[in-house]
PDB file of all heavy atoms in Angstrom:
ATOM      1  N   PRO A 266      88.327 280.449 138.311  1.00  0.00           N
ATOM      2  CA  PRO A 266      87.955 281.198 139.605  1.00  0.00           C
ATOM      3  C   PRO A 266      86.859 280.324 140.246  1.00  0.00           C
ATOM      4  O   PRO A 266      86.037 279.754 139.659  1.00  0.00           O
ATOM      5  CB  PRO A 266      87.580 282.463 139.163  1.00  0.00           C
ATOM      6  CG  PRO A 266      87.162 282.359 137.693  1.00  0.00           C
ATOM      7  CD  PRO A 266      88.013 281.371 137.191  1.00  0.00           C
ATOM      8  N   ARG A 267      86.795 280.338 141.588  1.00  0.00           N
ATOM      9  CA  ARG A 267      85.780 279.643 142.258  1.00  0.00           C
ATOM     10  C   ARG A 267      84.483 280.427 142.042  1.00  0.00           C
ATOM     11  O   ARG A 267      84.468 281.542 141.620  1.00  0.00           O
ATOM     12  CB  ARG A 267      85.997 279.693 143.849  1.00  0.00           C
ATOM     13  CG  ARG A 267      86.171 280.937 144.478  1.00  0.00           C
ATOM     14  CD  ARG A 267      86.519 280.771 145.938  1.00  0.00           C
ATOM     15  NE  ARG A 267      85.338 280.181 146.566  1.00  0.00           N
ATOM     16  CZ  ARG A 267      85.232 279.958 147.852  1.00  0.00           C
ATOM     17  NH1 ARG A 267      86.337 280.223 148.674  1.00  0.00           N
ATOM     18  NH2 ARG A 267      84.327 279.298 148.428  1.00  0.00           N
ATOM     19  N   GLU A 268      83.401 279.740 142.200  1.00  0.00           N
ATOM     20  CA  GLU A 268      82.067 280.318 142.003  1.00  0.00           C
ATOM     21  C   GLU A 268      81.855 281.737 142.659  1.00  0.00           C
ATOM     22  O   GLU A 268      82.039 281.682 143.947  1.00  0.00           O
ATOM     23  CB  GLU A 268      80.914 279.274 142.352  1.00  0.00           C
ATOM     24  CG  GLU A 268      79.541 279.792 141.843  1.00  0.00           C
ATOM     25  CD  GLU A 268      78.469 278.806 142.131  1.00  0.00           C
ATOM     26  OE1 GLU A 268      78.861 277.667 142.473  1.00  0.00           O
ATOM     27  OE2 GLU A 268      77.326 279.122 141.940  1.00  0.00           O
ATOM     28  N   GLY A 269      81.543 282.719 141.878  1.00  0.00           N
ATOM     29  CA  GLY A 269      81.344 284.063 142.555  1.00  0.00           C
ATOM     30  C   GLY A 269      82.699 284.762 142.896  1.00  0.00           C
ATOM     31  O   GLY A 269      82.591 285.810 143.438  1.00  0.00           O
ATOM     32  N   GLY A 270      83.783 284.112 142.451  1.00  0.00           N
ATOM     33  CA  GLY A 270      85.182 284.708 142.806  1.00  0.00           C
ATOM     34  C   GLY A 270      85.935 285.117 141.682  1.00  0.00           C
ATOM     35  O   GLY A 270      85.387 285.183 140.424  1.00  0.00           O
ATOM     36  N   GLU A 271      87.159 285.444 141.882  1.00  0.00           N
ATOM     37  CA  GLU A 271      88.126 285.940 140.865  1.00  0.00           C
ATOM     38  C   GLU A 271      89.360 285.279 141.009  1.00  0.00           C
ATOM     39  O   GLU A 271      89.853 284.968 142.084  1.00  0.00           O
ATOM     40  CB  GLU A 271      88.330 287.485 140.954  1.00  0.00           C
ATOM     41  CG  GLU A 271      86.925 288.195 140.680  1.00  0.00           C
ATOM     42  CD  GLU A 271      87.270 289.782 140.803  1.00  0.00           C
ATOM     43  OE1 GLU A 271      88.386 290.172 140.768  1.00  0.00           O
ATOM     44  OE2 GLU A 271      86.265 290.542 140.960  1.00  0.00           O
ATOM     45  N   LEU A 272      90.003 284.904 139.870  1.00  0.00           N
ATOM     46  CA  LEU A 272      91.347 284.327 139.751  1.00  0.00           C
ATOM     47  C   LEU A 272      92.239 285.297 138.946  1.00  0.00           C
ATOM     48  O   LEU A 272      91.949 285.555 137.872  1.00  0.00           O
ATOM     49  CB  LEU A 272      91.373 282.893 139.199  1.00  0.00           C
ATOM     50  CG  LEU A 272      92.671 282.314 138.921  1.00  0.00           C
ATOM     51  CD1 LEU A 272      93.495 282.163 140.178  1.00  0.00           C
ATOM     52  CD2 LEU A 272      92.550 280.972 138.267  1.00  0.00           C
ATOM     53  N   HIS A 273      93.325 285.725 139.607  1.00  0.00           N
ATOM     54  CA  HIS A 273      94.205 286.748 138.864  1.00  0.00           C
ATOM     55  C   HIS A 273      95.485 286.029 138.781  1.00  0.00           C
ATOM     56  O   HIS A 273      96.018 285.562 139.753  1.00  0.00           O
ATOM     57  CB  HIS A 273      94.422 287.972 139.638  1.00  0.00           C
ATOM     58  CG  HIS A 273      93.048 288.843 139.776  1.00  0.00           C
ATOM     59  ND1 HIS A 273      92.817 289.915 139.011  1.00  0.00           N
ATOM     60  CD2 HIS A 273      92.011 288.603 140.574  1.00  0.00           C
ATOM     61  CE1 HIS A 273      91.499 290.373 139.392  1.00  0.00           C
ATOM     62  NE2 HIS A 273      91.069 289.539 140.301  1.00  0.00           N
ATOM     63  N   ILE A 274      96.091 286.058 137.572  1.00  0.00           N
ATOM     64  CA  ILE A 274      97.443 285.370 137.292  1.00  0.00           C
ATOM     65  C   ILE A 274      98.378 286.411 136.902  1.00  0.00           C
ATOM     66  O   ILE A 274      98.036 287.147 135.843  1.00  0.00           O
ATOM     67  CB  ILE A 274      97.249 284.304 136.277  1.00  0.00           C
ATOM     68  CG1 ILE A 274      96.189 283.194 136.821  1.00  0.00           C
ATOM     69  CG2 ILE A 274      98.636 283.628 136.058  1.00  0.00           C
ATOM     70  CD1 ILE A 274      95.886 282.034 135.831  1.00  0.00           C
ATOM     71  N   VAL A 275      99.588 286.431 137.521  1.00  0.00           N
ATOM     72  CA  VAL A 275     100.672 287.446 137.087  1.00  0.00           C
ATOM     73  C   VAL A 275     101.886 286.648 136.590  1.00  0.00           C
ATOM     74  O   VAL A 275     102.511 285.797 137.268  1.00  0.00           O
ATOM     75  CB  VAL A 275     101.000 288.265 138.330  1.00  0.00           C
ATOM     76  CG1 VAL A 275     101.972 289.390 137.881  1.00  0.00           C
ATOM     77  CG2 VAL A 275      99.843 288.887 139.076  1.00  0.00           C
ATOM     78  N   ILE A 276     102.192 286.908 135.368  1.00  0.00           N
ATOM     79  CA  ILE A 276     103.438 286.354 134.777  1.00  0.00           C
ATOM     80  C   ILE A 276     104.570 287.389 134.754  1.00  0.00           C
ATOM     81  O   ILE A 276     104.487 288.514 134.330  1.00  0.00           O
ATOM     82  CB  ILE A 276     103.104 285.921 133.212  1.00  0.00           C
ATOM     83  CG1 ILE A 276     101.943 284.989 133.141  1.00  0.00           C
ATOM     84  CG2 ILE A 276     104.361 285.326 132.639  1.00  0.00           C
ATOM     85  CD1 ILE A 276     101.297 284.811 131.771  1.00  0.00           C
ATOM     86  N   VAL A 277     105.671 286.953 135.371  1.00  0.00           N
ATOM     87  CA  VAL A 277     106.739 287.788 135.775  1.00  0.00           C
ATOM     88  C   VAL A 277     108.065 287.570 134.939  1.00  0.00           C
ATOM     89  O   VAL A 277     108.476 286.372 134.903  1.00  0.00           O
ATOM     90  CB  VAL A 277     107.007 287.783 137.241  1.00  0.00           C
ATOM     91  CG1 VAL A 277     108.090 288.909 137.601  1.00  0.00           C
ATOM     92  CG2 VAL A 277     105.822 288.063 138.019  1.00  0.00           C
ATOM     93  N   ASP A 278     108.598 288.507 134.453  1.00  0.00           N
ATOM     94  CA  ASP A 278     109.998 288.461 133.822  1.00  0.00           C
ATOM     95  C   ASP A 278     111.000 288.741 134.796  1.00  0.00           C
ATOM     96  O   ASP A 278     111.756 287.833 135.191  1.00  0.00           O
ATOM     97  CB  ASP A 278     109.990 289.527 132.577  1.00  0.00           C
ATOM     98  CG  ASP A 278     111.323 289.370 131.774  1.00  0.00           C
ATOM     99  OD1 ASP A 278     112.390 288.884 132.351  1.00  0.00           O
ATOM    100  OD2 ASP A 278     111.317 289.754 130.561  1.00  0.00           O
ATOM    101  N   ASN A 279     111.223 289.983 135.151  1.00  0.00           N
ATOM    102  CA  ASN A 279     112.287 290.364 136.195  1.00  0.00           C
ATOM    103  C   ASN A 279     113.667 289.857 135.870  1.00  0.00           C
ATOM    104  O   ASN A 279     114.240 289.271 136.734  1.00  0.00           O
ATOM    105  CB  ASN A 279     111.820 290.009 137.580  1.00  0.00           C
ATOM    106  CG  ASN A 279     112.541 290.793 138.631  1.00  0.00           C
ATOM    107  OD1 ASN A 279     112.811 291.975 138.442  1.00  0.00           O
ATOM    108  ND2 ASN A 279     112.829 290.049 139.790  1.00  0.00           N
ATOM    109  N   GLY A 280     114.158 289.984 134.667  1.00  0.00           N
ATOM    110  CA  GLY A 280     115.461 289.587 134.380  1.00  0.00           C
ATOM    111  C   GLY A 280     115.590 288.251 133.683  1.00  0.00           C
ATOM    112  O   GLY A 280     116.660 287.858 133.156  1.00  0.00           O
ATOM    113  N   ARG A 281     114.473 287.562 133.530  1.00  0.00           N
ATOM    114  CA  ARG A 281     114.572 286.172 132.920  1.00  0.00           C
ATOM    115  C   ARG A 281     114.829 286.368 131.359  1.00  0.00           C
ATOM    116  O   ARG A 281     115.450 285.417 130.789  1.00  0.00           O
ATOM    117  CB  ARG A 281     113.221 285.481 133.184  1.00  0.00           C
ATOM    118  CG  ARG A 281     113.222 284.910 134.665  1.00  0.00           C
ATOM    119  CD  ARG A 281     111.768 284.715 135.070  1.00  0.00           C
ATOM    120  NE  ARG A 281     111.739 284.160 136.471  1.00  0.00           N
ATOM    121  CZ  ARG A 281     111.810 284.872 137.595  1.00  0.00           C
ATOM    122  NH1 ARG A 281     111.996 286.245 137.340  1.00  0.00           N
ATOM    123  NH2 ARG A 281     111.791 284.361 138.747  1.00  0.00           N
ATOM    124  N   SER A 282     114.265 287.331 130.732  1.00  0.00           N
ATOM    125  CA  SER A 282     114.577 287.461 129.292  1.00  0.00           C
ATOM    126  C   SER A 282     116.103 287.691 129.041  1.00  0.00           C
ATOM    127  O   SER A 282     116.731 287.333 128.118  1.00  0.00           O
ATOM    128  CB  SER A 282     113.864 288.735 128.796  1.00  0.00           C
ATOM    129  OG  SER A 282     112.443 288.484 128.811  1.00  0.00           O
ATOM    130  N   LYS A 283     116.664 288.500 130.051  1.00  0.00           N
ATOM    131  CA  LYS A 283     118.094 288.795 129.967  1.00  0.00           C
ATOM    132  C   LYS A 283     118.954 287.497 130.113  1.00  0.00           C
ATOM    133  O   LYS A 283     119.932 287.247 129.432  1.00  0.00           O
ATOM    134  CB  LYS A 283     118.495 289.824 131.080  1.00  0.00           C
ATOM    135  CG  LYS A 283     119.997 290.076 131.039  1.00  0.00           C
ATOM    136  CD  LYS A 283     120.279 291.095 132.184  1.00  0.00           C
ATOM    137  CE  LYS A 283     121.790 291.381 132.342  1.00  0.00           C
ATOM    138  NZ  LYS A 283     122.042 292.186 133.451  1.00  0.00           N
ATOM    139  N   ILE A 284     118.501 286.610 131.039  1.00  0.00           N
ATOM    140  CA  ILE A 284     119.187 285.323 131.161  1.00  0.00           C
ATOM    141  C   ILE A 284     118.977 284.414 129.874  1.00  0.00           C
ATOM    142  O   ILE A 284     120.015 283.786 129.443  1.00  0.00           O
ATOM    143  CB  ILE A 284     118.581 284.526 132.436  1.00  0.00           C
ATOM    144  CG1 ILE A 284     118.842 285.241 133.731  1.00  0.00           C
ATOM    145  CG2 ILE A 284     119.131 283.099 132.427  1.00  0.00           C
ATOM    146  CD1 ILE A 284     118.130 284.747 134.949  1.00  0.00           C
ATOM    147  N   LEU A 285     117.821 284.477 129.267  1.00  0.00           N
ATOM    148  CA  LEU A 285     117.644 283.771 128.107  1.00  0.00           C
ATOM    149  C   LEU A 285     118.561 284.135 126.978  1.00  0.00           C
ATOM    150  O   LEU A 285     118.878 283.366 126.088  1.00  0.00           O
ATOM    151  CB  LEU A 285     116.180 283.912 127.675  1.00  0.00           C
ATOM    152  CG  LEU A 285     115.598 283.105 126.652  1.00  0.00           C
ATOM    153  CD1 LEU A 285     115.647 281.582 126.992  1.00  0.00           C
ATOM    154  CD2 LEU A 285     114.160 283.395 126.203  1.00  0.00           C
ATOM    155  N   ALA A 286     118.880 285.490 126.953  1.00  0.00           N
ATOM    156  CA  ALA A 286     119.747 285.903 125.887  1.00  0.00           C
ATOM    157  C   ALA A 286     121.226 285.532 126.123  1.00  0.00           C
ATOM    158  O   ALA A 286     122.123 285.794 125.209  1.00  0.00           O
ATOM    159  CB  ALA A 286     119.605 287.518 125.899  1.00  0.00           C
ATOM    160  N   ASP A 287     121.582 285.102 127.357  1.00  0.00           N
ATOM    161  CA  ASP A 287     122.919 284.744 127.694  1.00  0.00           C
ATOM    162  C   ASP A 287     123.134 283.208 127.432  1.00  0.00           C
ATOM    163  O   ASP A 287     122.752 282.318 128.109  1.00  0.00           O
ATOM    164  CB  ASP A 287     123.152 284.970 129.269  1.00  0.00           C
ATOM    165  CG  ASP A 287     124.630 284.713 129.595  1.00  0.00           C
ATOM    166  OD1 ASP A 287     125.392 283.991 129.007  1.00  0.00           O
ATOM    167  OD2 ASP A 287     125.022 285.454 130.577  1.00  0.00           O
ATOM    168  N   GLU A 288     123.818 283.013 126.252  1.00  0.00           N
ATOM    169  CA  GLU A 288     124.011 281.629 125.668  1.00  0.00           C
ATOM    170  C   GLU A 288     124.829 280.635 126.674  1.00  0.00           C
ATOM    171  O   GLU A 288     124.342 279.531 126.911  1.00  0.00           O
ATOM    172  CB  GLU A 288     124.742 281.579 124.423  1.00  0.00           C
ATOM    173  CG  GLU A 288     124.765 280.270 123.704  1.00  0.00           C
ATOM    174  CD  GLU A 288     125.408 280.388 122.310  1.00  0.00           C
ATOM    175  OE1 GLU A 288     125.615 281.574 121.863  1.00  0.00           O
ATOM    176  OE2 GLU A 288     125.636 279.254 121.791  1.00  0.00           O
ATOM    177  N   GLN A 289     125.768 281.280 127.445  1.00  0.00           N
ATOM    178  CA  GLN A 289     126.535 280.398 128.280  1.00  0.00           C
ATOM    179  C   GLN A 289     125.844 280.035 129.520  1.00  0.00           C
ATOM    180  O   GLN A 289     126.049 278.944 130.074  1.00  0.00           O
ATOM    181  CB  GLN A 289     127.747 281.193 128.782  1.00  0.00           C
ATOM    182  CG  GLN A 289     128.773 280.343 129.409  1.00  0.00           C
ATOM    183  CD  GLN A 289     130.127 280.914 129.593  1.00  0.00           C
ATOM    184  OE1 GLN A 289     130.308 282.168 129.647  1.00  0.00           O
ATOM    185  NE2 GLN A 289     131.169 280.160 129.656  1.00  0.00           N
ATOM    186  N   HIS A 290     124.778 280.964 129.944  1.00  0.00           N
ATOM    187  CA  HIS A 290     124.204 280.676 131.325  1.00  0.00           C
ATOM    188  C   HIS A 290     122.613 280.413 131.190  1.00  0.00           C
ATOM    189  O   HIS A 290     122.096 280.392 132.225  1.00  0.00           O
ATOM    190  CB  HIS A 290     124.491 281.859 132.164  1.00  0.00           C
ATOM    191  CG  HIS A 290     125.939 282.042 132.524  1.00  0.00           C
ATOM    192  ND1 HIS A 290     126.626 281.158 133.331  1.00  0.00           N
ATOM    193  CD2 HIS A 290     126.872 282.950 132.122  1.00  0.00           C
ATOM    194  CE1 HIS A 290     127.978 281.477 133.404  1.00  0.00           C
ATOM    195  NE2 HIS A 290     128.181 282.491 132.637  1.00  0.00           N
ATOM    196  N   ARG A 291     122.126 280.425 130.065  1.00  0.00           N
ATOM    197  CA  ARG A 291     120.749 280.263 129.916  1.00  0.00           C
ATOM    198  C   ARG A 291     120.094 278.951 130.517  1.00  0.00           C
ATOM    199  O   ARG A 291     118.954 278.972 130.839  1.00  0.00           O
ATOM    200  CB  ARG A 291     120.128 280.430 128.434  1.00  0.00           C
ATOM    201  CG  ARG A 291     120.604 279.449 127.521  1.00  0.00           C
ATOM    202  CD  ARG A 291     120.041 279.542 126.120  1.00  0.00           C
ATOM    203  NE  ARG A 291     120.319 280.738 125.514  1.00  0.00           N
ATOM    204  CZ  ARG A 291     120.680 280.923 124.347  1.00  0.00           C
ATOM    205  NH1 ARG A 291     120.764 279.869 123.464  1.00  0.00           N
ATOM    206  NH2 ARG A 291     120.843 282.155 123.803  1.00  0.00           N
ATOM    207  N   LYS A 292     120.872 277.927 130.569  1.00  0.00           N
ATOM    208  CA  LYS A 292     120.368 276.679 131.174  1.00  0.00           C
ATOM    209  C   LYS A 292     119.851 276.810 132.439  1.00  0.00           C
ATOM    210  O   LYS A 292     119.218 275.833 133.075  1.00  0.00           O
ATOM    211  CB  LYS A 292     121.436 275.585 130.986  1.00  0.00           C
ATOM    212  CG  LYS A 292     121.657 275.191 129.598  1.00  0.00           C
ATOM    213  CD  LYS A 292     122.701 274.002 129.625  1.00  0.00           C
ATOM    214  CE  LYS A 292     123.038 273.763 128.167  1.00  0.00           C
ATOM    215  NZ  LYS A 292     124.260 272.760 128.042  1.00  0.00           N
ATOM    216  N   VAL A 293     120.262 277.870 133.239  1.00  0.00           N
ATOM    217  CA  VAL A 293     119.788 278.092 134.759  1.00  0.00           C
ATOM    218  C   VAL A 293     118.345 278.160 134.756  1.00  0.00           C
ATOM    219  O   VAL A 293     117.741 277.863 135.714  1.00  0.00           O
ATOM    220  CB  VAL A 293     120.598 279.303 135.215  1.00  0.00           C
ATOM    221  CG1 VAL A 293     119.934 280.546 134.827  1.00  0.00           C
ATOM    222  CG2 VAL A 293     120.530 279.249 136.816  1.00  0.00           C
ATOM    223  N   LEU A 294     117.677 278.562 133.599  1.00  0.00           N
ATOM    224  CA  LEU A 294     116.164 278.644 133.471  1.00  0.00           C
ATOM    225  C   LEU A 294     115.524 277.265 133.624  1.00  0.00           C
ATOM    226  O   LEU A 294     114.255 277.304 133.720  1.00  0.00           O
ATOM    227  CB  LEU A 294     115.818 279.437 132.316  1.00  0.00           C
ATOM    228  CG  LEU A 294     116.125 280.973 132.315  1.00  0.00           C
ATOM    229  CD1 LEU A 294     115.819 281.602 130.993  1.00  0.00           C
ATOM    230  CD2 LEU A 294     115.363 281.722 133.353  1.00  0.00           C
ATOM    231  N   ASN A 295     116.348 276.296 133.390  1.00  0.00           N
ATOM    232  CA  ASN A 295     115.782 274.930 133.560  1.00  0.00           C
ATOM    233  C   ASN A 295     115.356 274.528 134.987  1.00  0.00           C
ATOM    234  O   ASN A 295     114.680 273.547 135.104  1.00  0.00           O
ATOM    235  CB  ASN A 295     116.827 273.875 132.925  1.00  0.00           C
ATOM    236  CG  ASN A 295     116.879 273.956 131.471  1.00  0.00           C
ATOM    237  OD1 ASN A 295     116.582 274.819 130.838  1.00  0.00           O
ATOM    238  ND2 ASN A 295     117.704 272.927 130.894  1.00  0.00           N
ATOM    239  N   CYS A 296     115.980 275.320 135.891  1.00  0.00           N
ATOM    240  CA  CYS A 296     115.845 275.022 137.381  1.00  0.00           C
ATOM    241  C   CYS A 296     114.394 274.765 137.704  1.00  0.00           C
ATOM    242  O   CYS A 296     113.515 275.586 137.367  1.00  0.00           O
ATOM    243  CB  CYS A 296     116.428 276.003 138.116  1.00  0.00           C
ATOM    244  SG  CYS A 296     116.322 275.849 140.013  1.00  0.00           S
ATOM    245  N   LEU A 297     114.088 273.585 138.413  1.00  0.00           N
ATOM    246  CA  LEU A 297     112.768 273.211 138.921  1.00  0.00           C
ATOM    247  C   LEU A 297     112.641 273.850 140.383  1.00  0.00           C
ATOM    248  O   LEU A 297     111.415 273.605 140.956  1.00  0.00           O
ATOM    249  CB  LEU A 297     112.402 271.766 138.921  1.00  0.00           C
ATOM    250  CG  LEU A 297     112.717 271.112 137.633  1.00  0.00           C
ATOM    251  CD1 LEU A 297     112.278 269.641 137.745  1.00  0.00           C
ATOM    252  CD2 LEU A 297     111.942 271.717 136.390  1.00  0.00           C
ATOM    253  N   ARG A 298     113.635 274.309 141.050  1.00  0.00           N
ATOM    254  CA  ARG A 298     113.596 274.861 142.317  1.00  0.00           C
ATOM    255  C   ARG A 298     113.354 273.719 143.335  1.00  0.00           C
ATOM    256  O   ARG A 298     112.461 273.821 144.276  1.00  0.00           O
ATOM    257  CB  ARG A 298     112.565 276.012 142.498  1.00  0.00           C
ATOM    258  CG  ARG A 298     112.771 277.210 141.728  1.00  0.00           C
ATOM    259  CD  ARG A 298     114.057 277.901 142.171  1.00  0.00           C
ATOM    260  NE  ARG A 298     114.162 279.293 141.591  1.00  0.00           N
ATOM    261  CZ  ARG A 298     114.720 279.616 140.437  1.00  0.00           C
ATOM    262  NH1 ARG A 298     115.244 278.626 139.679  1.00  0.00           N
ATOM    263  NH2 ARG A 298     114.702 280.861 139.949  1.00  0.00           N
ATOM    264  N   CYS A 299     113.925 272.586 143.095  1.00  0.00           N
ATOM    265  CA  CYS A 299     113.771 271.404 143.999  1.00  0.00           C
ATOM    266  C   CYS A 299     114.703 271.436 145.207  1.00  0.00           C
ATOM    267  O   CYS A 299     114.503 270.817 146.187  1.00  0.00           O
ATOM    268  CB  CYS A 299     113.982 270.119 143.224  1.00  0.00           C
ATOM    269  SG  CYS A 299     115.706 269.801 142.631  1.00  0.00           S
ATOM    270  N   GLY A 300     115.809 272.207 145.060  1.00  0.00           N
ATOM    271  CA  GLY A 300     116.839 272.216 146.174  1.00  0.00           C
ATOM    272  C   GLY A 300     117.687 271.067 146.226  1.00  0.00           C
ATOM    273  O   GLY A 300     118.529 271.103 147.161  1.00  0.00           O
ATOM    274  N   ALA A 301     117.732 270.151 145.201  1.00  0.00           N
ATOM    275  CA  ALA A 301     118.634 269.046 145.290  1.00  0.00           C
ATOM    276  C   ALA A 301     120.069 269.324 145.293  1.00  0.00           C
ATOM    277  O   ALA A 301     120.978 268.824 145.930  1.00  0.00           O
ATOM    278  CB  ALA A 301     118.350 267.956 144.167  1.00  0.00           C
ATOM    279  N   CYS A 302     120.358 270.509 144.608  1.00  0.00           N
ATOM    280  CA  CYS A 302     121.780 270.996 144.492  1.00  0.00           C
ATOM    281  C   CYS A 302     122.247 271.482 145.936  1.00  0.00           C
ATOM    282  O   CYS A 302     123.481 271.245 146.162  1.00  0.00           O
ATOM    283  CB  CYS A 302     121.951 272.030 143.507  1.00  0.00           C
ATOM    284  SG  CYS A 302     120.902 273.612 143.843  1.00  0.00           S
ATOM    285  N   MET A 303     121.348 271.975 146.611  1.00  0.00           N
ATOM    286  CA  MET A 303     121.770 272.452 148.049  1.00  0.00           C
ATOM    287  C   MET A 303     122.024 271.192 148.932  1.00  0.00           C
ATOM    288  O   MET A 303     122.933 271.270 149.735  1.00  0.00           O
ATOM    289  CB  MET A 303     120.784 273.362 148.586  1.00  0.00           C
ATOM    290  CG  MET A 303     120.475 274.523 147.855  1.00  0.00           C
ATOM    291  SD  MET A 303     119.180 275.541 148.485  1.00  0.00           S
ATOM    292  CE  MET A 303     118.907 276.757 147.148  1.00  0.00           C
ATOM    293  N   ASN A 304     121.075 270.233 148.871  1.00  0.00           N
ATOM    294  CA  ASN A 304     121.112 269.046 149.686  1.00  0.00           C
ATOM    295  C   ASN A 304     122.508 268.269 149.486  1.00  0.00           C
ATOM    296  O   ASN A 304     122.944 267.544 150.411  1.00  0.00           O
ATOM    297  CB  ASN A 304     119.895 268.212 149.440  1.00  0.00           C
ATOM    298  CG  ASN A 304     118.588 268.800 149.716  1.00  0.00           C
ATOM    299  OD1 ASN A 304     118.554 269.890 150.464  1.00  0.00           O
ATOM    300  ND2 ASN A 304     117.549 268.284 149.089  1.00  0.00           N
ATOM    301  N   THR A 305     123.003 268.382 148.268  1.00  0.00           N
ATOM    302  CA  THR A 305     124.147 267.548 147.971  1.00  0.00           C
ATOM    303  C   THR A 305     125.402 268.408 148.119  1.00  0.00           C
ATOM    304  O   THR A 305     126.467 267.815 148.252  1.00  0.00           O
ATOM    305  CB  THR A 305     124.076 266.988 146.599  1.00  0.00           C
ATOM    306  OG1 THR A 305     125.073 265.845 146.447  1.00  0.00           O
ATOM    307  CG2 THR A 305     124.365 267.988 145.567  1.00  0.00           C
ATOM    308  N   CYS A 306     125.350 269.709 148.147  1.00  0.00           N
ATOM    309  CA  CYS A 306     126.551 270.497 148.053  1.00  0.00           C
ATOM    310  C   CYS A 306     127.305 270.490 149.428  1.00  0.00           C
ATOM    311  O   CYS A 306     126.740 270.846 150.453  1.00  0.00           O
ATOM    312  CB  CYS A 306     126.155 271.967 147.751  1.00  0.00           C
ATOM    313  SG  CYS A 306     127.498 273.081 147.781  1.00  0.00           S
ATOM    314  N   PRO A 307     128.698 270.143 149.394  1.00  0.00           N
ATOM    315  CA  PRO A 307     129.304 269.952 150.538  1.00  0.00           C
ATOM    316  C   PRO A 307     129.555 271.328 151.252  1.00  0.00           C
ATOM    317  O   PRO A 307     129.804 271.499 152.524  1.00  0.00           O
ATOM    318  CB  PRO A 307     130.688 269.335 150.217  1.00  0.00           C
ATOM    319  CG  PRO A 307     130.861 269.659 148.752  1.00  0.00           C
ATOM    320  CD  PRO A 307     129.409 269.564 148.136  1.00  0.00           C
TER     321      PRO A 307
END
């Protein structure tokens, strides 16, 4: 936190644990959110 201030950090699941349990589709959690798949998708 900056001097005299506060830093609050929130870690969110919101369905990510469920994705992790799905063996066929868990690799979607690898996504970096770069958007390259959109830029190339016809």
Side-chain angles (χ1 to χ4, degrees):
R267 58 180 299 181
E268 188 174 348
E271 297 178 15
L272 172 59
H273 299 256
I274 301 174
V275 188
I276 304 171
V277 183
D278 185 333
N279 199 38
R281 287 158 177 79
S282 295
K283 182 182 174 184
I284 296 173
L285 191 61
D287 188 330
E288 187 174 349
Q289 188 169 31
H290 298 289
R291 64 174 56 138
K292 287 179 189 173
V293 78
L294 291 175
N295 288 15
C296 176
L297 306 184
R298 300 294 193 271
C299 68
C302 61
M303 299 176 191
N304 300 341
T305 198
C306 176

